[in-house]
Amino acid sequence: MFRLWAKIIVSGKIVKNMTIKNSDLSLNRTKKIFNAINEICYAYDLSQPLWLDKNIREFKKNSRTRFTKDNFVDDIDFDALDIEVIEED
């Protein structure tokens, strides 16, 4: 089972969070991550965050990253969107 945890942060506090699960073994890790981000963005009515070099490095190293206003084309009403892989197949 693949699970990704997403947290919306305001003033250092989690104000919304959700866990996305995916048990489709035919998908690779990258597709599972992007599918989860699509679900998160749909649920919270967000545009897709842009993956900057910093995000790619963090995610490769720690399986987690933080998206801030610099990652979104639209204005956001929160400080950050954190994503973290909490379980992998």
Side-chain angles (χ1 to χ4, degrees):
M1 170 79 62
F2 173 88
R3 293 188 308 149
L4 185 133
W5 184 25
K7 302 168 275 194
I8 294 203
I9 310 293
V10 175
S11 299
K13 298 183 180 180
I14 299 172
V15 295
K16 295 180 185 175
N17 76 93
M18 67 187 305
T19 303
I20 305 297
K21 299 175 186 177
N22 189 325
S23 57
D24 186 350
L25 297 175
S26 69
L27 296 177
N28 65 24
R29 183 178 195 251
T30 302
K31 288 187 181 191
K32 290 178 183 179
I33 291 164
F34 282 104
N35 286 349
I37 290 172
N38 285 339
E39 285 187 49
I40 293 159
C41 290
Y42 181 78
Y44 294 139
D45 194 26
L46 300 172
S47 61
Q48 293 288 321
L50 303 173
W51 285 79
L52 304 176
D53 291 339
K54 170 188 165 282
N55 301 105
I56 295 167
R57 280 192 311 274
E58 285 176 352
F59 203 81
K60 283 181 179 179
K61 184 176 180 182
N62 303 316
S63 294
R64 67 187 314 173
T65 193
R66 172 172 281 200
F67 297 111
T68 60
K69 65 180 180 179
D70 296 336
N71 297 92
F72 292 92
V73 175
D74 300 330
D75 288 333
I76 56 173
D77 60 351
F78 52 88
D79 297 329
L81 168 64
D82 288 356
I83 63 168
E84 177 181 357
V85 174
I86 55 176
E87 183 180 350
E88 294 199 57
D89 303 318

